Amino acid sequence: GVLVTWLNGDGQHCGKGSIGEKAIRRATASVTNPTNYWYAADAANKVRELLETCHGTCAQFDAELHDHAHCQVINPLALHFLQGDGGTC
C-alpha cells in the first residue's frame, strides 16, 4: 500500500526519519537479498506510529495520473454517484 510505495520512493507520504522507518530499513538491510520490507516483531509499535503518518497521494483505490497533479476516480460507488446513476456516497 501507501507505506511500500513510499519506501520504494514512488510517491505517497509518510513521516520521514521516524523510528518506525529506521526499524524497517535496519531490519530489511539485515535480510539477505530482501524482496520485501521487514521489521522485527518487537518494533511493531514503532511501525504502527509510522503507519499513522502515512497518507496516499490519491484516495484509497484511486489512481494517480502521470502528470502527478490529478487522481482518477476508480471506486465503483463513487463513479455511480458522480455519473448520476442513483449511487449514494
Side-chain angles (χ1 to χ4, degrees):
V2 171
L3 178 61
V4 171
T5 302
W6 176 74
L7 288 166
N8 286 336
D10 296 331
Q12 310 301 342
H13 306 280
C14 294
K16 189 156 184 65
S18 71
I19 58 175
E21 177 190 5
K22 291 173 186 169
I24 291 170
R25 296 203 186 275
R26 186 172 36 256
T28 300
S30 70
V31 175
T32 304
N33 299 318
T35 56
N36 293 295
Y37 292 98
W38 305 93
Y39 59 91
D42 63 358
N45 285 336
K46 296 173 185 175
V47 174
R48 276 191 204 96
E49 287 181 26
L50 168 62
L51 285 169
E52 289 174 3
T53 71
C54 296
H55 61 278
T57 302
C58 299
Q60 187 174 13
F61 305 120
D62 287 348
E64 183 178 8
L65 298 181
H66 295 290
D67 66 4
H68 301 290
H70 296 91
C71 299
Q72 180 181 1
V73 177
I74 303 286
N75 183 293
L77 291 175
L79 287 171
H80 286 295
F81 172 76
L82 292 168
Q83 293 166 350
D85 295 336
T88 57
C89 283

